[in-house]
Amino acid sequence: MNKNHGYNGLLIVIEGTDGSGKSTHVNLLSQYIKNEGYGCVVSQWKTSRLISGIINEAKERNMLNTTTFSLLYAADYTDRLENEIIPALKAGFVVLMDRYIYTAYVRDSVRGHDINWVKNLYSFAPKPDLVFYLNVTPNILIKRLIAKNGALDYFESGRDIGISNDIYKSFEIYQKRCLEEYKKLKKEYNFIEIDGTQKKEDIHELIKKEVKIALENKFKK
Ligand SMILES: Nc1ncnc2c1ncn2[C@@H]1O[C@H](COP(=O)(O)OP(=O)(O)OP(=O)(O)O)[C@@H](O)[C@H]1O
Ligand SMILES: [Mg+2]
C-alpha cells in the first residue's frame, strides 16, 4: 500500500474508534463536496451486499473466530473495492470512506493477529489521499454510544475476546487497546489527527480546510 493510487478521483478516509463521529463527518463532508460541484460517493465499512449479511448473521450467533472475522471483513472490503471504490475513482469521483483498512489493522491486532499478517491481507488496497483520524477518549465514547444506541454493543465492548464480564470495564479496556493501535498507525500513515471531542461544527471546518486544498490540487482546471 505504498504507491499513490493513480486514479482520476480522490480517496478520502475518516477513521476513529466506535462512536468517534465518523458517520457524522462523512455526511457533512459529502454535502460540502457536492455543494462545491464535485461528484461524491460514500462507502461504509461492512456494507458489501454480498458479504455483510453473512458477517451480521455470524455476529448474532457469536460464531466467528478471529481469523474468520478478519477474512470476512477483508472480503467485504474487497467486494466494495471492486464494485464501488475503484469504478468511482476511475470516473473521477471523490470517494469518502467511513472507516478503511486501518479499522481492520486495529481490530484484528487487538484480537491477537500479527499486524504484518493483517497488512499483508490488505496489501492491494489503494493508498488514500487523505486520512482524518478522530481521536476521542473512551469515557466520552461511552456517553455518546449509550445516547445513540441505548446500550453498549457486544463487539464494540470487546466482549467476544473475553476481557471482562462487566460491559463498561470491558468497553473501556477494549477501546483503550484500540486507541493504542491507532496511535501507532497515525505516524506511519500520516493521519490528520483531530481532537474529536470538539464541537461538530469546528471539526467540520478543520476537515473542510484540508479537503478544499486536496480538491484544488487534484482537480485544478
Ligand atoms: N463532535 C461531537 N460532539 C458531540 N457528539 C457528537 C460529535 N460527533 C458525533 N456526535 C454524536 O455521537 C454519536 C456517534 O456519532 P457517529 O454515529 O457519527 O459516530 P461513528 O464514529 O460513525 O460511530 P460508529 O463507529 O458506531 O459507526 C452520534 O449520536 C452523534 O450525533
Ligand atoms: Mg458510523
Side-chain angles (χ1 to χ4, degrees):
M1 218 228 355
N2 295 317
K3 285 195 300 187
N4 291 333
H5 59 67
Y7 298 117
N8 294 332
L10 203 58
L11 184 60
I12 301 178
V13 170
I14 306 210
E15 268 289 354
T17 49
D18 303 302
S20 57
K22 299 175 297 297
S23 302
T24 300
H25 289 289
V26 161
N27 291 335
L28 291 170
L29 186 56
S30 146
Q31 278 311 318
Y32 166 72
I33 292 168
K34 287 178 188 162
N35 288 343
E36 290 294 298
Y38 300 97
C40 180
V41 167
V42 169
S43 183
Q44 194 179 23
W45 196 247
K46 191 171 68 78
T47 55
S48 148
R49 261 186 265 167
L50 190 65
I51 308 291
S52 63
I54 300 171
I55 301 179
N56 288 336
E57 195 184 324
K59 277 173 121 180
E60 259 170 43
R61 294 204 258 146
N62 201 13
M63 54 191 281
L64 283 180
N65 73 42
T66 54
T67 307
T68 323
F69 191 93
S70 307
L71 296 177
L72 283 176
Y73 274 93
D76 185 293
Y77 167 78
T78 310
D79 183 44
R80 288 181 299 113
L81 182 68
E82 285 177 357
N83 293 307
E84 295 172 14
I85 303 167
I86 290 181
L89 286 175
K90 280 186 175 165
F93 279 75
V94 180
V95 182
L96 280 188
M97 306 298 307
D98 190 335
R99 297 187 179 277
Y100 200 56
I101 57 173
Y102 313 107
T103 283
Y105 289 8
V106 165
R107 289 180 172 174
D108 292 355
S109 44
V110 165
R111 283 176 173 78
H113 279 297
D114 184 311
I115 185 68
N116 291 318
W117 180 85
V118 192
K119 286 182 180 175
N120 240 338
L121 187 58
Y122 287 93
S123 57
F124 55 88
K127 185 181 163 204
D129 297 285
L130 287 175
V131 182
F132 294 101
Y133 166 53
L134 297 169
N135 190 356
V136 181
T137 50
N139 57 329
I140 294 177
L141 295 175
I142 286 190
K143 287 182 197 140
R144 282 194 196 169
L145 289 169
I146 290 180
K148 182 177 147 195
N149 305 322
L152 292 175
D153 175 84
Y154 183 84
F155 289 91
E156 287 178 354
S157 307
R159 291 293 300 277
D160 58 306
I161 46 176
I163 296 174
S164 162
N165 286 333
D166 176 340
I167 191 150
Y168 295 100
K169 187 123 207 83
S170 184
F171 180 90
E172 196 187 342
I173 295 170
Y174 173 71
Q175 293 293 340
K176 275 189 179 155
R177 286 186 193 169
C178 290
L179 287 168
E180 279 305 309
E181 293 303 319
Y182 273 116
K183 200 169 161 186
K184 292 182 204 159
L185 299 176
K186 73 185 182 194
K187 281 196 202 120
E188 197 177 341
Y189 296 102
N190 281 326
F191 291 178
I192 300 169
E193 186 176 8
I194 294 180
D195 173 2
T197 62
Q198 301 172 81
K199 282 199 297 197
K200 285 178 205 174
E201 297 73 19
D202 295 345
I203 296 173
H204 183 52
E205 284 306 313
L206 292 171
I207 294 178
K208 250 171 40 182
K209 211 172 107 194
E210 299 287 344
V211 169
K212 189 170 188 286
I213 298 168
L215 288 169
E216 281 166 5
N217 287 339
K218 184 81 195 190
F219 301 110
K220 267 192 293 234
K221 280 145 204 151

